[in-house]
Amino acid sequence: MKRLFFQGERKIQAATLLFGQEENFDPENYRKYVELEVVLQDDGRFSVWGDLEDDADLLRDTKPDWRHVAPQLEQLADQVMEED
């Protein structure tokens, strides 16, 4: 499993990559988060969290990567942590 973290403008770029195809997408909605966190499972599924100061919002439940955005997200991440 990998955890990808995005801050600052990379947070907005990641949100656009992840959610930009949605009809009501507004990148400004993601500025409130300290960072976005993407949790990549070993089987290719991933979830997305919007981390706040003392809490987190689940923005995308764990689902397969049908749009194949994981490789792009890994290149864009500010920090990558690998876990067993």
Side-chain angles (χ1 to χ4, degrees):
M1 177 174 70
K2 289 183 183 176
R3 299 169 84 89
L4 313 176
F5 298 92
F6 306 87
Q7 293 113 15
E9 283 307 307
R10 289 185 182 205
K11 169 180 61 181
I12 303 305
Q13 292 171 344
T16 302
L17 183 61
L18 290 161
F19 305 113
Q21 76 284 355
E22 294 178 4
E23 185 176 321
N24 296 325
F25 175 75
D26 181 356
E28 294 304 311
N29 292 338
Y30 299 90
R31 292 205 186 274
K32 67 182 177 184
Y33 298 112
V34 174
E35 63 188 2
L36 288 185
E37 179 179 348
V38 175
V39 179
L40 296 173
Q41 302 294 327
D42 294 335
D43 64 4
R45 298 173 303 132
F46 71 90
S47 60
V48 180
W49 295 84
D51 294 338
L52 300 163
E53 289 293 330
D54 58 356
D55 201 5
D57 292 333
L58 178 61
L59 304 176
R60 180 188 193 272
D61 202 0
T62 306
K63 297 179 184 171
D65 183 12
W66 298 116
R67 293 181 39 241
H68 307 287
V69 297
Q72 295 171 63
L73 289 168
E74 284 191 66
Q75 293 178 2
L76 184 62
D78 288 298
Q79 181 182 5
V80 177
M81 293 175 54
E82 293 206 35
E83 298 180 2
D84 293 334

